Amino acid sequence: MCVIDIAADDYHTEASRAKMASGVALTEEDRAPWLDACGKALCAAADTAAGTALKTTSASTENIEDSVAKGGCAPECQSHRQSEYFESTRFCAVLACSALRKAHRDRLREATRSYNFDSLNASDGSGGSRIALQFVLLTAPEKVLLERARARARNTSHFMPPSMLQSQLATLEQPTSDELHADVAIIELSTHTTVKEIVLRALEFAQPRRNS
C-alpha cells in the first residue's frame, strides 16, 4: 500500500500563522487560498501515490510475461492480469486538515473533482482516472480535544495555542446527512485512542467505497 500524508498546516501563509499564534481566528478570506493550496497538494500527492502503484504493477509485468512464456497464462489474459494487479494495489493520499465548514469541504471536493491523474490513463482511452475523495471527521468531547491540543503544545512547536479550540468548535459545521451518505465518516476519539486504531477504522470506511 502506498500512502502519502500531507499536513495542511504547511500551506498556511506566514501572516495566517502569526494571526493564529496570537489567538486570532482566521476569516473566510484567509482560508480560501489555503484551501485551494491544500486541494492542489492533495491532488499532486494522490497522483504521486498512483504513479508509485503503477511502477509496482509494471515491475510485476515481468512475472506475468514469464508465466505466459511458460504456458501458465494465455496471452489474451496478460493485460487483464496486469489490470487486476493494479486494482489490488492500494494507494492514497491523506490530508490532515481542519475543513470545518461544509463550504470548506465543498472547495476540496471541487479541487479533486476536476483533476485527472497525470500518471494514469483510462483503459478505454477516455482520458484518465479521477480521485475518490473521502472525509473522516475525528470527533471527541471538548475535554479530550483540549487535552490533545495541550499535549501538542507541550511536545511540538505548533503555532496554534490550545486556547483557539473554542473558535474551532464554534466554526465547525457537522456533516449533513447527504455528506454522511456520500463521502464522510465520523470516528469518535477517546483519550487513549491510538493512531493505529484511527487508521484501521478509516480504512474500514474507505474500502467499500473504493470498490463501489
Side-chain angles (χ1 to χ4, degrees):
M1 183 173 187
C2 178
V3 180
I4 297 177
D5 61 284
I6 312 157
D9 285 341
D10 293 344
Y11 296 91
H12 280 299
T13 64
E14 288 302 318
S16 290
R17 287 169 178 257
K19 195 171 185 179
M20 286 184 281
S22 65
V24 178
L26 299 182
T27 65
E28 291 304 293
E29 289 72 21
D30 295 324
R31 290 190 177 101
W34 168 68
L35 287 165
D36 290 341
C38 286
K40 290 178 181 178
L42 181 59
C43 291
D47 208 332
T48 299
T52 301
L54 189 60
K55 288 178 182 177
T56 303
T57 304
S58 298
S60 74
T61 299
E62 293 182 7
N63 293 332
I64 296 173
E65 290 175 343
D66 185 57
S67 180
V68 172
K70 293 179 179 179
C73 176
E76 58 269 19
C77 81
Q78 180 176 346
S79 61
H80 172 72
R81 288 277 297 278
Q82 290 171 334
S83 175
E84 191 176 63
Y85 184 91
F86 178 75
E87 287 300 320
S88 69
T89 305
R90 301 183 66 180
F91 58 91
C92 67
V94 179
L95 174 70
C97 175
S98 55
L100 300 173
R101 291 180 169 153
K102 183 177 182 296
H104 303 164
R105 299 187 287 273
D106 284 344
R107 202 172 186 113
L108 292 173
R109 289 184 179 104
E110 183 57 34
T112 56
R113 186 180 296 121
S114 59
Y115 185 84
N116 281 330
F117 284 104
D118 290 333
S119 59
L120 303 177
N121 291 314
S123 59
D124 60 1
S126 61
S129 301
R130 294 188 183 277
I131 294 173
L133 180 65
Q134 296 161 8
F135 294 88
V136 177
L137 171 62
L138 305 181
T139 184
E142 184 175 342
K143 179 181 178 181
V144 173
L145 296 175
L146 186 57
E147 288 175 359
R148 287 176 172 254
R150 286 172 174 166
R152 180 178 66 178
R154 287 193 304 269
N155 300 325
T156 73
S157 57
H158 197 275
F159 52 84
M160 195 180 85
S163 59
M164 286 202 65
L165 176 62
Q166 285 288 344
S167 68
Q168 294 271 292
L169 294 176
T171 304
L172 175 64
E173 293 177 357
Q174 293 294 329
T176 65
S177 58
D178 287 345
E179 288 183 292
L180 291 171
H181 179 73
D183 60 7
V184 178
I186 296 177
I187 295 178
E188 183 78 26
L189 301 181
S190 71
T191 306
H192 306 293
T193 305
T194 65
V195 172
K196 181 178 179 180
E197 289 171 332
I198 294 171
V199 170
L200 290 175
R201 291 171 65 185
L203 288 175
E204 287 175 3
F205 160 69
Q207 183 63 25
R209 287 158 177 78
R210 179 179 176 272
N211 293 332
S212 61

